[in-house]
């Protein structure tokens, strides 16, 4: 096979990396990784193209996964419904009206078996956007991989597992902060031994930004949370050179093209210094690896086709900023869950950037731009001010308990809304270039009858499983939760005996309480 040639349409050869004639000191793949974590970045292989999907029942979501894999997506990204996220089974009274709405309903291992039916877990990477119940969903995924005969040391994927941003920006937490942090470090410890290729946390700025933060706040609060997780794992006696390799990040990409690119470059540089200060000597433990999703809150219900342009702009910024994996939003997401047509155009957007634009041919193509370099420095400086302030408070948990992070985000959100309402900021189709009639598009709706289907499944499962074993497993989990033992093996046993997500969550609620 001849070596791939990189050239412009006019035949001009493109070098792997460009430096100033005087020699820009820093190279991609070298500390502090401002220019990218790999020497050759996308010349080696493109980012992972994921499409976040999950709705209704496991059966329905499974059909969408097969469709997306058929269209060329490279990894799956699972959205869970609200009851699953906060540890209630579909038949719980608090689940009414929410089953299968914002994601797929998962009540037991049986649903995970259906969700991935016909999909070999050893052949794909799966990202799961799940936090408070992350240890349970991970246990279900591991249980299915075992059933499929996969080598657990080879399966790979990511669980979000970032509870701090739930207290700060989103609200799907269950237990008090201390108990939640214990569950997270239990996952770190368990996976480092049993599932070493699994990314045990995706420290998320995405939801901080969706809640209304600025780019600087997203950068600062995300890295401050990351620092808190590092310290918690070190306190547990884990080796930073081992567990930090399996931390990943999840950032938002908004409309301000150059600011977003500079944000990603600054994030890598800052994280490299944070990990080094905390004792990481292995380059793999100093690299900030991240997934990006285009900005959901930037999409408008007015003139929804405009969102295709917004998403393209944001996706291009994420690629120029050096993302490892990317989800592009559907143009209809301000109105409903994405239709198949919207999911396809979102994926095609990534494929066009990867294979037609030429931006992947050289590493960090905007390096050396006076504007980009200055903006990268300025974002870093502004974010560092916040991080120093949070450190002085005693870290993220303390800053969240004092309502500091929440108040900072709320005040930015309020200011942004005022700028839109006053017309100081232009939002095309909303406060300028408006149309009298809303554009008609197909809307995707999830039926409330799904709760009845899920309840029937739960009842049948409880009638057919060995309830003596289930009860014994839950009692053992309860005992372990009162001790200092790692809870993952107990959760896995409970899952394999077909205990439901709600039963496992309730067992832990009885021990830890609710926040």
């Amino acid at each position: 096979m001849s070596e791939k040639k990189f050239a412009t349409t006019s035949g001009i050869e493109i070098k792997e990396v460009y430096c100033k004639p005087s020699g820009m000191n820093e190279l991609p793949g070298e500390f502090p990784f401002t220019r990218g974590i790999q020497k050759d970045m996308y010349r080696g292989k493109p980012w992972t193209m994921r499409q976040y999907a999950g709705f209704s029942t496991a059966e329905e979501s499974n059909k969408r996964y097969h469709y997306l894999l058929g269209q060329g997506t490279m990894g799956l990204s699972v959205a869970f419904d609200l009851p699953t996220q906060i540890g209630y089974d579909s038949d719980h009274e608090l689940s009414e009206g929410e089953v299968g709405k914002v994601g797929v309903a998962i009540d037991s291992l049986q649903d995970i078996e259906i969700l991935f039916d016909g999909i070999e877990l050893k052949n794909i990477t799966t990202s799961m956007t799940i936090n408070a119940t992350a240890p349970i969903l991970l246990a279900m995924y591991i249980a299915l991989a075992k059933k499929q005969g996969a080598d657990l040391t080879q399966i790979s994927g990511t669980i979000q597992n970032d509870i701090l941003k739930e207290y700060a920006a989103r609200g799907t937490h269950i237990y008090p902060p201390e108990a939640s942090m214990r569950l997270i470090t239990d996952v770190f410890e368990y996976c480092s031994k049993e599932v070493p290729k699994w990314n045990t946390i995706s420290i998320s700025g995405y939801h901080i930004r969706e809640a209304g933060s600025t780019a600087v706040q997203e950068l600062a609060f995300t890295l401050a949370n990351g620092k808190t997780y590092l310290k918690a794992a070190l306190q547990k006696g884990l080796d930073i050179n081992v567990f930090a390799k399996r931390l990943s990040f999840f950032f938002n990409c908004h409309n301000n093209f150059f600011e977003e690119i500079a944000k990603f470059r600054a994030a890598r540089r800052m994280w490299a210094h944070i990990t080094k200060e905390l004792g990481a000597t292995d380059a793999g433990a100093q690299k900030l690896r991240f997934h990006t999703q285009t900005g959901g809150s930037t999409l408008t219900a007015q003139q929804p086709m405009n969102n295709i342009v917004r998403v393209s702009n944001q996706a291009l910024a994420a690629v120029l900023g050096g993302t490892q994996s990317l989800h592009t939003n559907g143009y209809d997401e301000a109105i409903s869950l994405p239709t198949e047509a919207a999911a396809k155009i979102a994926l095609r957007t990534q494929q066009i950037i990867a294979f037609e634009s030429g931006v992947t041919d050289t590493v960090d193509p905007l390096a050396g731009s006076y504007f980009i370099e200055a903006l990268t420095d300025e974002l870093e400086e502004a974010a560092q001010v916040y991080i120093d302030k949070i450190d002085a408070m005693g870290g993220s948990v303390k800053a969240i308990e004092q309502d500091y992070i929440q108040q900072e985000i709320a005040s930015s959100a309020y200011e942004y809304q005022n700028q839109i309402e006053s017309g100081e900021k232009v939002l095309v189709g909303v406060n300028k270039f408006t149309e009298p009639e809303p554009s008609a598009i197909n809307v995707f709706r999830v039926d409330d009858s799904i709760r009845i289907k899920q309840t029937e499944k739960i009842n049948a499962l409880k009638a057919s499983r060995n309830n003596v074993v289930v009860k014994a497993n839950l009692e053992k989990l309860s005992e372990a939760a009162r001790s200092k033992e790692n809870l993952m093996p107990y959760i896995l046993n409970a899952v394999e005996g077909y205990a439901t997500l709600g039963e496992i969550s309730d067992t832990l609620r009885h021990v830890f309480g609710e926040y």
Side-chain angles (χ1 to χ4, degrees):
M1 191 175 140
S2 64
E3 201 182 320
K4 188 178 173 195
K5 286 197 165 47
F6 293 90
T8 68
T9 50
S10 320
I12 297 164
E13 193 195 335
I14 296 171
K15 291 192 267 191
E16 183 169 285
V17 69
Y18 288 80
C19 301
K20 273 192 277 190
S22 59
M24 200 168 169
N25 293 335
E26 198 191 308
L27 288 169
E30 291 178 12
F31 188 89
F33 313 105
T34 316
R35 303 197 62 191
I37 59 166
Q38 311 296 353
K39 184 179 104 46
D40 58 353
M41 285 304 284
Y42 309 132
R43 275 167 78 116
K45 67 175 178 132
W47 62 91
T48 302
M49 297 178 198
R50 292 188 191 283
Q51 283 309 112
Y52 184 46
F55 55 87
S56 178
T57 58
E59 288 85 348
E60 287 303 311
S61 292
N62 176 261
K63 285 179 201 163
R64 177 67 66 93
Y65 294 161
H66 280 287
Y67 171 77
L68 288 168
L69 289 165
Q71 294 297 328
T73 187
M74 304 155 157
L76 296 175
S77 187
V78 185
F80 297 96
D81 73 358
L82 208 51
T84 304
Q85 293 180 47
I86 51 178
Y88 293 118
D89 288 334
S90 298
D91 60 356
H92 194 285
E93 57 185 18
L94 291 177
S95 300
E96 195 172 340
E98 286 294 344
V99 176
K101 288 291 170 74
V102 299
V104 62
I106 299 293
D107 293 313
S108 71
L109 174 58
Q110 189 180 49
D111 285 324
I112 287 284
E113 289 165 357
I114 297 164
L115 186 67
F116 292 103
D117 185 39
I119 298 168
E120 289 283 336
L121 301 190
K122 64 173 195 263
N123 297 335
I124 55 158
T125 68
T126 304
S127 169
M128 297 193 270
T129 304
I130 195 74
N131 296 286
T133 53
I136 305 171
L137 271 301
L138 175 61
M140 289 179 183
Y141 195 86
I142 291 169
L144 177 59
K146 279 168 73 175
K147 280 190 136 186
Q148 288 185 353
D151 176 355
L152 293 186
T153 63
Q154 297 306 309
I155 66 161
S156 67
T158 305
I159 39 170
Q160 196 159 88
N161 203 23
D162 172 8
I163 208 68
L164 292 177
K165 67 96 182 36
E166 293 298 327
Y167 299 113
R170 223 177 136 255
T172 70
H173 46 73
I174 303 174
Y175 318 110
E178 208 170 303
S180 296
M181 291 297 284
R182 171 192 171 177
L183 284 168
I184 288 168
T185 53
D186 279 359
V187 169
F188 287 179
E189 183 178 50
Y190 179 82
C191 289
S192 67
K193 296 178 184 131
E194 306 294 329
V195 204
K197 287 193 170 174
W198 194 268
N199 296 324
T200 47
I201 192 167
S202 174
I203 302 154
S204 175
Y206 185 83
H207 304 94
I208 290 169
R209 194 66 177 282
E210 289 292 282
S213 81
T214 63
V216 165
Q217 289 170 334
E218 179 192 0
L219 177 59
F221 300 155
T222 308
L223 295 187
N225 287 349
K227 203 170 173 178
T228 298
Y229 293 126
L230 286 177
K231 287 182 170 171
L234 286 167
Q235 226 172 342
K236 204 179 170 88
L238 302 182
D239 179 353
I240 194 166
N241 283 323
V242 176
F243 77 82
K245 285 181 181 165
R246 298 268 58 99
L247 304 185
S248 67
F249 286 81
F250 174 24
F251 287 112
N252 206 314
C253 200
H254 266 228
N255 286 330
N256 194 306
F257 193 70
F258 294 110
E259 182 177 47
E260 295 301 308
I261 295 163
K263 178 185 81 183
F264 298 132
R265 298 173 90 249
R268 274 192 294 270
R269 185 158 75 203
M270 293 175 82
W271 188 245
H273 287 296
I274 288 168
T275 50
K276 192 177 180 182
E277 277 159 26
L278 289 174
T281 51
D282 187 314
Q286 299 167 339
K287 289 177 180 181
L288 179 141
R289 298 167 306 124
F290 69 100
H291 168 72
T292 310
Q293 182 174 336
T294 57
S297 62
T298 67
L299 305 183
T300 62
Q302 298 89 334
Q303 303 175 29
M305 298 314 261
N306 292 351
N307 294 327
I308 296 175
V309 182
R310 291 187 180 105
V311 167
S312 306
N313 181 40
Q314 294 163 6
L316 184 59
V319 169
L320 290 170
T323 192
Q324 275 60 68
S325 135
L326 179 61
H327 163 86
T328 29
N329 289 33
Y331 60 77
D332 50 5
E333 284 187 48
I335 300 162
S336 72
L337 285 169
T339 54
E340 241 175 42
K344 191 201 292 192
I345 197 79
L347 178 60
R348 293 287 181 261
T349 301
Q350 296 202 45
Q351 291 163 337
I352 289 167
I353 292 171
F355 303 111
E356 295 185 19
S357 71
V359 298
T360 59
D361 290 348
T362 189
V363 184
D364 195 19
L366 295 183
S369 146
Y370 294 135
F371 180 40
I372 284 287
E373 296 298 351
L375 205 50
T376 302
D377 292 346
E378 282 163 36
L379 271 143
E380 179 176 7
E381 277 165 38
Q384 194 59 51
V385 171
Y386 273 115
I387 291 175
D388 292 344
K389 201 174 231 180
I390 291 166
D391 282 346
M393 289 179 173
S396 287
V397 176
K398 292 278 184 289
I400 287 163
E401 285 171 350
Q402 291 172 38
D403 215 31
Y404 169 70
I405 292 176
Q406 298 92 309
Q407 290 297 333
E408 287 294 313
I409 295 170
S411 106
S412 294
Y414 179 71
E415 195 179 325
Y416 177 77
Q417 193 55 36
N418 283 343
Q419 289 171 333
I420 296 294
E421 285 174 18
S422 69
E424 188 186 329
K425 266 196 180 8
V426 172
L427 203 50
V428 174
V430 175
N431 64 3
K432 206 166 183 177
F433 315 113
T434 55
E435 287 168 359
E437 287 299 311
S439 322
I441 64 164
N442 283 332
V443 170
F444 186 88
R445 287 275 177 259
V446 173
D447 198 305
D448 277 335
S449 65
I450 281 152
R451 184 162 183 248
I452 299 164
K453 282 184 201 153
Q454 285 298 111
T455 302
E456 285 166 359
K457 265 202 272 185
I458 291 170
N459 292 339
L461 176 76
K462 287 181 178 176
S464 66
R465 69 187 185 181
N466 185 330
N467 287 302
V468 175
V469 169
V470 171
K471 189 167 179 261
N473 285 339
L474 293 173
E475 278 168 7
K476 283 177 193 158
L477 172 62
S478 178
E479 279 165 36
R482 288 185 173 85
S483 73
K484 291 264 189 284
E485 277 189 88
N486 190 308
L487 297 182
M488 273 305 289
Y490 295 95
I491 294 171
L492 185 58
N493 280 343
V495 157
E496 289 181 321
Y498 291 92
T500 68
L501 173 112
E503 289 170 331
I504 296 168
S505 300
D506 281 347
T507 301
L508 296 176
R509 276 188 182 96
H510 290 314
V511 180
F512 298 146
E514 288 187 83
Y515 185 73

